[in-house]
Amino acid sequence: MQIEASLWNASWATDGGRMQISLSYAPFEARYRGFDVARCSVDKSSDMNQFSSSGSVLKQGGGEEFSEELLLKPFPDRKVLAHFHFQSRAPHSSSHGRHHHLFPKAIAQLVKKFRVKEMELSFTQGRWRYEQWGGFDPLSSNNAKPPGVELWAVFDVPQSLVDVYWRNLTHTLSGLFCASINFLESSTTYSAPELTFKPSFGNLRYGTLPREAVCTENLTPWLKLLPCRDKAGLSALMDRPSIYRGFYHSQRLRLTSSESGSDEVDSGIGLEQTLTVVLQPSSWRTGKTYSVETNIQPSWSISSIFGRNIPGKCVIAKSSNVYLHLDNGLVGELKNLERENAKYVANTFESEGFQSNHAFKISVTPDKVFEEVDYLHGKSTSVIYGFSVEKYSDSQPFDLGLTWKIPVVWSCQQAPLHASRFLMGSGNERGAIAISLESTESSEGLPTSHIIDGRCELRVDIFQVVPWYIKVYFHTLQVFVDKQPRAMADVVDKIRVSPSKDKVSPGVMEMILKLPCGSKSAAFSLEFDKGFLHIDEYPPDANQGFDIPSALISFPSFNARMNFSEDEFLNNSPILSKFQETSPVLSYTEVLLIPLTTPDFSMPYNVITITCTVFALYFGSLLNVLRRRVDEEERILRSRAGRKAGWISQLLSRLSAKLRGRPQEQPTSSLPYSFISFRLVLKILLVASIAVTWQYYFG
Amino acid sequence: MSEISPEVPDNRQDAPSHVDPNSTRITKPGVKRLVLTLSVLFSLVLGFPFLWKSVEIYRSSLPFGEISEMESNPSLSFPCRFQAVFINFNSNPSPNHLQLSILDKITELTSNSSQCGACANDLALSVTVDSISSCTQTHPTDNSNYYRCGAISAVDFDFSNDDDDGVDELLESVLGVKNVYSVVVVNGGGEGIRAVVGKYRHAWIVGSVEEEEEESVLVSRVAEIFVKMFVNGGTENGLIHGEFMPVGADRRIVLSFNLLNAEPNDWVYDWDFQRVDETLLAPIIKVLGPIANISVESQVLYHTPKSSFSYWDEKWKSYIFSTKDLPFFVNSNEWHLDTSIAAGGRYVPSAKECPLSLLLPTGEISKTNGFISPMWGGVVVWNPPGCLNSETNHPSRHTMSREDLQAVFEVFMGQFRQLFGLKSNNLYIGASGTYHLLPSGKGFTEWELDVLSRQFACFNLHSCATTLGSLSRLVQSLPRMIIMDEIGKLVQFSLEAAKLAQSNASLGDNESSAVSSGQARSLAEDAFFHPSIMSISYYSFEHCFAIYSPFFLPVSMHVLLAALREWKRYKQEKAKYTAWKAKVKVES
């Protein structure tokens, strides 16, 4: 049992770094008060089976619903995706704005207060690897998010009020999720996309914080919105060390609310919370199989990935399911293997339901098997195994395992073009942003629905926001298709640019491109100048560089959608019905890190000191010039020299003369000396001025 | 060069060759250079205050005197209007005599407590003695609002029977005047003296009074009703009890009700709070409308175990938690209650500890099974029916029955009244006897509401005074703090609003006094939490020193040294000159 305290010096905790913790006051002393440390009690009845196997679905109170689901999916690069999906609904009614049974009250109040029509907030750590993890399926299109925080919201208010509501919303969310979302309040950080992001009527705002660090303090308030939190049900799997050890971590919250006026069935507030993690299963059998097969996929189970089991469902949930998703690349590969082996092995894939075949073994018998129906190709389709958690309990936890028997190599289906973005140029003055789109294999043999006027074209939307201190020259936009420069009008169908205003608004570029079908690659480059920031505007870690938010590349002519054969069960499963919804294929580019000129923050003091010293010197010498009597001093010195009063006094006088800063004048050469010194000064001045002009013009 | 001193050529041309320039001087020493250096020194010295003024930190002047004056005495004095009606007194006591003795009693009772809201200065009492034969009345100043003679006798009501509600309604119809509290003393009826305080602004005392001593008892009871009930609201410790009044300056209260299911795997309870809101809470909210703008919300939480422990007790056949466990009962980690002021929690224990009861220090089981936790609000433990014998393994979802909810809400009403500092007993035991208090169906009686609104104004003023006081102490303790004009203005406005509240209160306008005291409080808080107060860390003395020392240190060195040297030389030369002059005089 232990208590931990941490001292935070992060930007969200210190008002943007302005009120820093002064570590010079260390050591710090912390005091706890108002809490008690209690022992753990021994649970006597823990071995009692609290569940019957009937698993009766409880009657929901007030029409509010909650369901929890988990989707697991092996990736080709020996990693495993775990996608938690929690959905809460509250029906709309005048009274239910205040009284809640399952739905989180905080969210309902937020929707009501800020008139949010639609909102999505995501906290992401790590980058979704589109090449390995796929970019075409609904899972990646919906859940692959840019690093940091991304927030967009659609408000149901007049356009003039949208900004005010956005600002208030960011503040509320910042408090709700312990994150610095309130930095999105300033108009330099958010934008209003119109063409490419989502169809909107000026009431959409979009903002990202690429540098926001995501940690448990963001997850805990997110879990608080679930009725069972992480005490029971699938969310009990969320062992913090395991899920933050992953390669990709994205927690997402999506809200949709519809007015009571529309007589839709699903009017009300819908809250969708997802947590997507990509984990590396620690293959517990590596010791045994190390020498035998190195390229065999690691076998895993829920307990080996998360270190925990599922202790039964959350009692309040309407449904609680776990799915195992094998994507179409894997299924196709397995079928090929099956066909080869068909000569020797009698059993076929169809009859066995493919759960215990020669390639892998699933430890739990699935309750349902869904196969994707692809009407267009009739090629290999993905398979989803469904497991209901309802019959499991504390004493008999649910632990799904997948054991591979033979090495399988496959690849995930990718978006038609792979997008990447990089910086060009060097130095602290200017540079260029380049977005390159490379064709992937999967773009071949695409549906030919987008042939317009006999020309085969591929529509690509690009949405890019740049902060104001990156001064992009939009006229320098250059387009290359298949490495050949092309005129902009040939490729760009529509472009909307809102240039940045210094310290007021970011630059936004939205482009709708029509690329020829056969093109292998396309690239765009934009030049920019780096702006100067005011000293207050630098973050505490200014030398790290500045992040440019990810660009959003979408392919509206492709739909990430899975078709399943009609089944009653599908409608009850939010995750599968989500998969069946039509959504465009999206992908985000990397975040760019741009180094800006960072000033020496002691510069003002240095400047003040040097100017003051120059002024003081000037003043002092002017005063001396006005005051001093050269003749008299010379006379005194001469008389002193004439006295010849021993070498000690001579030395003293010389020393004192030096200390006073006056040249010790030799009585013999007084006149030529001053003349020489004047010429000497003139010479030095001349050389200095030449050096300065040289430095100024040719430096 | 131009700086050849004028003395030297003079020396060469005019002085005789035997004159030694080091010891004698035949011309008057010039003052040009001395004047120059001294003028530079003086202009520097004179310029220094201007510079100091120009780099001074801006501090808006705050009225410290007024603040400390208000902090020392943040009181409101409301006018009190009382009337006492004596009916059926055969001995015909003189009303003036009664008035004097009641007033004596009242001052005696109020003397030991000089609280905010008490009517120390402005007190008016009217006494009427109304018998069948004659009616005499004393009028303090104006006679418009007081009792009309014969009004009660005219109705001819029997006070002796036990229909207290009926009497109450009757008195309201006869005496229903705002801002006047009345006590009706009826002679007759049964044995002993019975005193009842009604739902409105009056009380009555029924008893057979024959002798002189009985009359003095009556007088002291009348005075006690006036002071303890109508002014102090039946609470012992007076109006400003502690620092707590659960109403913000904007008069908003959020009542948040949480149903906490400790272990949903055992059972899940739900409630129909919508109906509760409409039937039980709406009247209370309406009644409290003048004091607070109340909004109600509710939620159901799951997996919320309490954080203290209980033990099984055979004697009570239940799990027991004692009063010393109460500070640890609220599990702040798991109970995600709101931060609203009056959050009421209903705790449903898990099967492991099902009949869960609160053991009072007296060794008895609490009847309400509830308590108030500071900063969290009221908590009631509600044990599900039949939780001892039920052996169901099914997690089942129930809804709390209407009767259960009603019972729980009675407890809540008590807790809610306690939050406002009011008691919920229907008996008040005073110094001179017991008083029956008639409960109002709406939760709060009218005289209690009067007390609350006075208390609200008082609390606002008090908190305004303490806020301004701590602001002025802070400002005075930090001399290098920037104080913007906005803060000065806010403080000014806050003081003005507080003064307005005081003057309104003395005029008897409770409503506007409460409004302006609320303004005073919120303005004071705005001033205290003004963001510009934080700017103290940006302009320290070290910063100032670092900026100005590179210039002023060398310059002042130059100027001072030059002036010193010039002064020394002038003195020296002057001495030489005077010596020469004296020599010349002697020679001539």
Side-chain angles (χ1 to χ4, degrees):
Chain A
M1 204 182 283
Q2 61 178 19
I3 298 160
E4 279 176 23
S6 58
L7 198 61
W8 281 93
N9 203 10
S11 59
W12 56 265
T14 56
D15 191 16
R18 254 170 279 158
M19 295 166 61
Q20 296 256 353
I21 295 173
S22 175
L23 291 170
S24 59
Y25 291 112
F28 298 103
E29 187 182 319
R31 291 203 179 100
Y32 289 95
R33 51 189 299 190
F35 79 102
D36 65 322
V37 179
R39 302 179 313 277
C40 298
S41 64
V42 177
D43 191 354
K44 272 174 267 172
S45 59
S46 64
D47 54 349
M48 197 178 80
N49 189 355
Q50 290 169 332
F51 274 101
S52 67
S53 55
S54 67
S56 59
V57 172
L58 296 169
K59 194 172 74 67
Q60 302 299 317
E64 293 173 8
E65 290 178 356
F66 170 73
S67 59
E68 50 173 11
E69 287 179 305
L70 166 67
L71 183 109
L72 296 161
K73 182 179 175 182
F75 275 145
D77 60 346
R78 309 164 70 83
K79 295 186 181 62
V80 177
L81 169 94
H83 176 67
F84 294 88
H85 186 109
F86 305 96
Q87 189 154 323
S88 308
R89 295 211 126 266
H92 190 96
S93 83
S94 57
S95 59
H96 280 83
R98 291 187 286 132
H99 304 300
H100 293 282
H101 304 272
L102 280 174
F103 198 79
K105 196 169 75 175
I107 295 293
Q109 285 173 348
L110 185 127
V111 168
K112 200 174 152 204
K113 192 169 176 194
F114 301 116
R115 317 275 301 273
V116 177
K117 224 161 131 189
E118 228 178 328
M119 188 195 95
E120 186 174 296
L121 171 70
S122 69
F123 295 87
T124 311
Q125 202 174 13
R127 193 167 59 83
W128 182 267
R129 298 176 191 170
Y130 288 96
E131 311 90 340
Q132 282 124 22
W133 303 341
F136 199 80
D137 50 337
L139 192 74
S140 61
S141 292
N142 289 326
N143 295 297
K145 287 284 164 192
V149 168
E150 186 199 51
L151 171 71
W152 60 263
V154 182
F155 298 92
D156 188 21
V157 289
Q159 282 202 24
S160 54
L161 289 173
V162 172
D163 284 335
V164 180
Y165 275 78
W166 167 267
R167 277 197 285 270
N168 292 333
L169 176 74
T170 55
H171 273 269
T172 311
L173 286 175
S174 166
L176 204 58
F177 288 101
C178 301
S180 35
I181 307 173
N182 55 331
F183 285 10
L184 289 175
E185 172 208 40
S186 114
S187 62
T188 53
T189 49
Y190 67 87
S191 56
E194 281 169 18
L195 276 182
T196 50
F197 188 68
K198 269 179 94 66
S200 73
F201 306 98
N203 48 9
L204 170 77
R205 292 292 177 274
Y206 173 91
T208 53
L209 293 172
R211 192 172 290 182
E212 182 74 9
V214 181
C215 201
T216 42
E217 82 236 9
N218 307 119
L219 184 70
T220 310
W222 183 84
L223 283 172
K224 245 162 71 170
L225 304 177
L226 303 173
C228 282
R229 299 195 302 287
D230 55 350
K231 300 282 165 219
L234 299 178
S235 46
L237 278 181
M238 291 180 194
D239 175 41
R240 305 297 196 285
S242 340
I243 60 171
Y244 282 99
R245 206 189 292 134
F247 290 81
Y248 177 81
H249 172 99
S250 173
Q251 83 187 52
R252 203 168 62 95
L253 177 136
R254 188 176 173 142
L255 265 177
T256 44
S257 84
S258 47
E259 281 297 303
S260 55
S262 61
D263 45 8
E264 284 174 59
V265 188
D266 59 340
S267 80
I269 310 172
L271 172 68
E272 187 189 312
Q273 288 174 264
T274 64
L275 175 76
T276 313
V277 281
V278 177
L279 302 165
Q280 173 89 62
S282 52
S283 47
W284 72 96
R285 297 196 312 173
T286 33
K288 221 161 73 182
T289 57
Y290 187 71
S291 54
V292 186
E293 291 284 0
T294 44
N295 56 349
I296 192 165
Q297 287 276 329
S299 300
W300 50 264
S301 68
I302 287 180
S303 57
S304 80
I305 301 175
F306 292 104
R308 291 183 185 180
N309 290 322
I310 298 175
K313 67 178 268 190
C314 170
V315 191
I316 306 119
K318 195 180 83 175
S319 64
S320 176
N321 298 310
V322 175
Y323 300 99
L324 177 68
H325 182 200
L326 305 179
D327 66 15
N328 42 14
L330 175 60
V331 172
E333 190 65 31
L334 289 174
K335 277 184 181 170
N336 288 341
L337 288 168
E338 193 84 15
R339 224 167 286 134
E340 285 169 25
N341 290 354
K343 304 157 198 168
Y344 316 107
V345 187
N347 58 354
T348 56
F349 158 64
E350 281 81 13
S351 67
E352 187 68 12
F354 181 67
Q355 295 134 24
S356 169
N357 54 15
H358 65 284
F360 63 89
K361 184 173 171 293
I362 303 170
S363 67
V364 183
T365 322
D367 299 327
K368 279 261 178 193
V369 179
F370 307 98
E371 274 187 65
E372 195 191 343
V373 182
D374 196 337
Y375 298 110
L376 292 163
H377 298 304
K379 285 206 299 188
S380 59
T381 53
S382 63
V383 174
I384 292 180
Y385 299 101
F387 307 88
S388 175
V389 189
E390 271 158 28
K391 52 182 180 284
Y392 297 94
S393 69
D394 242 342
S395 54
Q396 189 201 342
F398 176 78
D399 188 9
L400 175 71
L402 181 72
T403 316
W404 293 94
K405 294 174 184 162
I406 52 165
V408 182
V409 180
W410 79 98
S411 65
C412 286
Q413 195 184 3
Q414 295 185 28
L417 297 171
H418 175 249
S420 62
R421 193 178 58 164
F422 47 88
L423 275 181
M424 298 195 299
S426 62
N428 277 337
E429 266 183 280
R430 53 187 75 88
I433 302 174
I435 298 172
S436 118
L437 302 168
E438 294 278 344
S439 154
T440 54
E441 288 301 312
S442 64
S443 63
E444 287 171 12
L446 286 168
T448 53
S449 56
H450 41 263
I451 293 180
I452 302 149
D453 303 334
R455 285 167 61 205
C456 173
E457 280 178 335
L458 171 64
R459 185 179 154 182
V460 182
D461 292 359
I462 297 178
F463 169 54
Q464 164 83 68
V465 180
V466 275
W468 65 265
Y469 41 81
I470 305 298
K471 293 174 176 154
V472 175
Y473 297 113
F474 290 101
H475 72 275
T476 59
L477 177 69
Q478 280 178 304
V479 184
F480 300 88
V481 176
D482 287 334
K483 291 170 186 164
Q484 299 298 313
R486 293 280 287 272
M488 221 178 81
D490 294 350
V491 178
V492 178
D493 185 45
K494 225 181 209 175
I495 185 163
R496 179 183 161 266
V497 162
S498 74
S500 60
K501 274 183 217 144
D502 275 9
K503 294 169 200 196
V504 174
S505 65
V508 182
M509 185 182 75
E510 292 175 274
M511 281 199 293
I512 295 175
L513 308 173
K514 290 268 188 315
L515 295 177
C517 271
S519 53
K520 288 273 171 228
S521 72
F524 307 87
S525 77
L526 275 171
E527 285 175 22
F528 64 84
D529 271 359
K530 296 178 188 178
F532 281 108
L533 291 175
H534 189 259
I535 191 159
D536 287 347
E537 288 158 353
Y538 282 96
D541 49 350
N543 287 306
Q544 194 193 325
F546 289 78
D547 290 301
I548 297 187
S550 298
L552 174 65
I553 317 281
S554 56
F555 306 96
S557 45
F558 294 91
N559 288 324
R561 158 160 202 225
M562 290 162 100
N563 295 303
F564 298 102
S565 50
E566 270 311 309
D567 193 325
E568 188 60 35
F569 190 78
L570 284 174
N571 298 325
N572 292 326
S573 161
I575 201 166
L576 295 183
S577 46
K578 193 88 199 159
F579 281 178
Q580 291 197 84
E581 281 172 19
T582 306
S583 58
V585 175
L586 295 178
S587 62
Y588 287 89
T589 64
E590 304 89 340
V591 167
L592 288 181
L593 190 65
I594 291 190
L596 285 191
T597 39
T598 6
D600 176 7
F601 289 105
S602 63
M603 204 61 182
Y605 286 97
N606 297 347
V607 169
I608 286 169
T609 312
I610 196 163
T611 358
C612 288
T613 314
V614 165
F615 270 104
L617 277 176
Y618 173 75
F619 186 84
S621 50
L622 202 72
L623 198 69
N624 273 341
V625 158
L626 283 175
R627 188 188 66 82
R628 274 169 64 183
R629 304 167 179 83
V630 178
D631 280 18
E632 194 179 297
E633 278 164 22
E634 272 174 14
R635 184 156 43 84
I636 289 165
L637 281 171
R638 209 182 299 130
S639 70
R640 274 188 196 160
R643 251 182 277 153
K644 295 268 178 201
W647 60 274
I648 294 172
S649 65
Q650 227 176 8
L651 201 75
L652 273 178
S653 74
R654 203 177 292 164
L655 202 73
S656 71
K658 228 173 221 162
L659 278 179
R660 279 183 208 157
R662 291 178 203 158
Q664 195 202 15
E665 286 144 17
Q666 295 302 312
T668 48
S669 63
S670 71
L671 206 81
Y673 180 82
S674 69
F675 182 66
I676 283 169
S677 77
F678 179 68
R679 282 180 64 177
L680 195 74
V681 167
L682 253 179
K683 267 183 197 163
I684 289 167
L685 277 178
L686 193 72
V687 169
S689 61
I690 287 168
V692 164
T693 42
W694 179 271
Q695 189 68 25
Y696 188 75
Y697 285 108
F698 305 100
Chain B
M1 281 184 167
S2 64
E3 57 187 85
I4 294 167
S5 79
E7 290 91 344
V8 181
D10 282 355
N11 271 359
R12 280 181 191 159
Q13 285 160 18
D14 305 332
S17 57
H18 64 269
V19 172
D20 179 17
N22 290 332
S23 59
T24 38
R25 186 182 177 107
I26 53 169
T27 52
K28 222 178 153 186
V31 290
K32 237 191 288 173
R33 284 177 167 74
L34 184 67
V35 167
L36 191 111
T37 49
L38 285 181
S39 67
V40 170
L41 179 69
F42 278 121
S43 57
L44 196 76
V45 168
L46 285 178
F48 198 71
F50 288 102
L51 179 90
W52 194 248
K53 190 83 191 154
S54 70
V55 301
E56 190 184 45
I57 290 164
Y58 185 75
R59 284 167 74 90
S60 176
S61 61
L62 297 184
F64 294 117
E66 282 179 60
I67 290 171
S68 61
E69 190 187 311
M70 200 175 92
E71 203 188 0
S72 61
N73 185 25
S75 68
L76 295 171
S77 60
F78 291 94
C80 304
R81 298 279 174 269
F82 298 133
Q83 65 173 334
V85 181
F86 291 81
I87 292 172
N88 290 344
F89 276 79
N90 298 330
S91 55
N92 250 347
S94 141
N96 289 323
H97 170 68
L98 280 171
Q99 185 182 17
L100 280 179
S101 51
I102 291 174
L103 278 176
D104 276 351
K105 254 314 190 224
I106 287 176
T107 43
E108 192 184 303
L109 283 168
T110 49
S111 59
N112 52 357
S113 60
S114 62
Q115 292 140 354
C116 178
C119 41
N121 311 323
D122 195 358
L123 194 148
L125 176 70
S126 148
V127 175
T128 310
V129 177
D130 191 0
S131 59
I132 304 142
S133 52
S134 63
C135 172
T136 41
Q137 202 165 10
T138 60
H139 295 300
T141 43
D142 51 344
N143 51 3
S144 56
N145 282 340
Y146 292 98
Y147 171 70
R148 281 178 295 102
C149 268
I152 292 177
S153 324
V155 185
D156 191 22
F157 197 82
D158 184 12
F159 284 92
S160 56
N161 68 3
D162 286 342
D163 183 17
D164 284 340
D165 284 318
V167 175
D168 201 28
E169 295 300 331
L170 170 86
L171 286 179
E172 172 63 14
S173 66
V174 173
L175 301 164
V177 182
K178 232 192 154 196
N179 291 334
V180 179
Y181 300 100
S182 35
V183 175
V184 178
V185 184
V186 183
N187 190 9
E191 289 296 303
I193 295 171
R194 188 162 170 278
V196 183
V197 182
K199 288 185 290 222
Y200 303 99
R201 293 185 181 86
H202 33 253
W204 61 96
I205 300 170
V206 182
S208 47
V209 184
E210 298 298 332
E211 292 133 35
E212 276 298 310
E213 298 116 58
E214 295 277 329
E215 198 183 289
S216 73
V217 167
L218 279 183
V219 163
S220 66
R221 297 200 109 185
V222 167
E224 199 168 20
I225 287 175
F226 281 143
V227 174
K228 296 286 182 203
M229 292 288 139
F230 291 145
V231 176
N232 284 353
T235 51
E236 285 302 323
N237 47 359
L239 280 176
I240 295 294
H241 59 99
E243 297 272 310
F244 188 64
M245 174 86 184
V247 186
D250 56 351
R251 296 181 159 223
R252 287 190 61 193
I253 301 184
V254 176
L255 288 181
S256 163
F257 292 88
N258 301 283
L259 180 68
L260 304 157
N261 286 288
E263 180 56 80
N265 288 337
D266 299 338
W267 44 62
V268 178
Y269 275 88
D270 201 349
W271 56 8
D272 187 5
F273 203 87
Q274 181 65 31
R275 199 175 329 141
V276 171
D277 189 7
E278 281 159 9
T279 56
L280 294 172
L281 282 171
I284 298 166
I285 291 166
K286 207 176 154 204
V287 162
L288 281 174
I291 295 164
N293 178 12
I294 301 175
S295 57
V296 180
E297 51 191 49
S298 81
Q299 63 179 346
V300 184
L301 296 175
Y302 309 91
H303 293 284
T304 50
K306 65 180 178 14
S307 50
S308 66
F309 294 100
S310 57
Y311 57 91
W312 174 255
D313 195 307
E314 269 302 320
K315 187 184 157 200
W316 301 105
K317 290 268 180 251
S318 66
Y319 290 90
I320 297 294
F321 67 104
S322 59
T323 42
K324 66 176 192 298
D325 294 331
L326 292 184
F328 313 116
F329 193 90
V330 174
N331 187 347
S332 53
N333 281 334
E334 306 288 349
W335 296 19
H336 298 297
L337 310 180
D338 299 86
T339 47
S340 55
I341 304 158
R346 304 285 160 273
Y347 180 74
V348 181
S350 67
K352 275 185 284 171
E353 40 167 32
C354 182
L356 184 67
S357 312
L358 171 63
L359 187 71
L360 296 174
T362 53
E364 285 171 38
I365 292 290
S366 165
K367 281 192 205 106
T368 57
N369 220 0
F371 59 93
I372 290 185
S373 182
M375 311 308 290
W376 288 100
V379 178
V380 179
V381 176
W382 181 75
N383 293 306
C387 65
L388 258 183
N389 45 16
S390 73
E391 291 296 322
T392 50
N393 279 336
H394 300 271
S396 47
R397 195 178 192 101
H398 313 279
T399 306
M400 282 173 81
S401 70
R402 205 170 150 66
E403 292 73 43
D404 284 331
L405 272 179
Q406 204 129 22
V408 166
F409 267 85
E410 276 164 26
V411 180
F412 160 73
M413 248 347 275
Q415 290 178 340
F416 191 51
R417 286 171 58 89
Q418 206 172 340
L419 278 179
F420 281 104
L422 298 172
K423 288 192 173 152
S424 307
N425 302 343
N426 51 7
L427 264 186
Y428 176 76
I429 298 156
S432 55
T434 56
Y435 304 90
H436 294 269
L437 308 181
L438 277 190
S440 168
K442 295 165 185 167
F444 292 87
T445 59
E446 274 188 28
W447 55 271
E448 280 172 337
L449 289 174
D450 286 351
V451 168
L452 283 181
S453 85
R454 284 201 300 268
Q455 189 180 348
F456 177 62
C458 271
F459 174 74
N460 278 340
L461 199 70
H462 194 257
S463 105
C464 164
T466 36
T467 311
L468 287 181
S470 44
L471 177 71
S472 84
R473 274 192 297 280
L474 177 80
V475 163
Q476 279 167 322
S477 70
L478 294 167
R480 294 199 67 80
M481 192 166 100
I482 301 167
I483 300 159
M484 305 300 284
D485 264 341
E486 287 91 356
I487 295 174
K489 258 182 213 153
L490 284 172
V491 170
Q492 199 66 47
F493 290 153
S494 167
L495 281 173
E496 276 166 21
K499 287 213 183 92
L500 190 68
Q502 278 172 329
S503 67
N504 277 336
S506 57
L507 290 174
D509 196 350
N510 284 7
E511 192 73 13
S512 57
S513 165
V515 167
S516 45
S517 69
Q519 273 173 355
R521 177 178 159 195
S522 61
L523 283 168
E525 275 166 13
D526 283 352
F528 191 82
F529 294 109
H530 198 271
S532 73
I533 281 192
M534 292 309 292
S535 60
I536 178 166
S537 54
Y538 294 118
Y539 198 75
S540 58
F541 181 71
E542 289 81 1
H543 179 89
C544 185
F545 188 77
I547 283 177
Y548 292 109
S549 64
F551 181 68
F552 283 97
L553 222 57
V555 163
S556 56
M557 282 283 283
H558 271 292
V559 171
L560 275 175
L561 275 180
L564 262 176
R565 274 214 197 101
E566 215 43 52
W567 177 246
K568 249 168 76 185
R569 185 186 176 276
Y570 178 76
K571 265 169 62 182
Q572 197 185 336
E573 294 294 315
K574 188 142 192 222
K576 277 196 261 174
Y577 175 64
T578 43
W580 177 78
K581 243 193 167 169
K583 212 171 93 187
V584 164
K585 224 173 225 174
V586 168
E587 276 172 5
S588 65

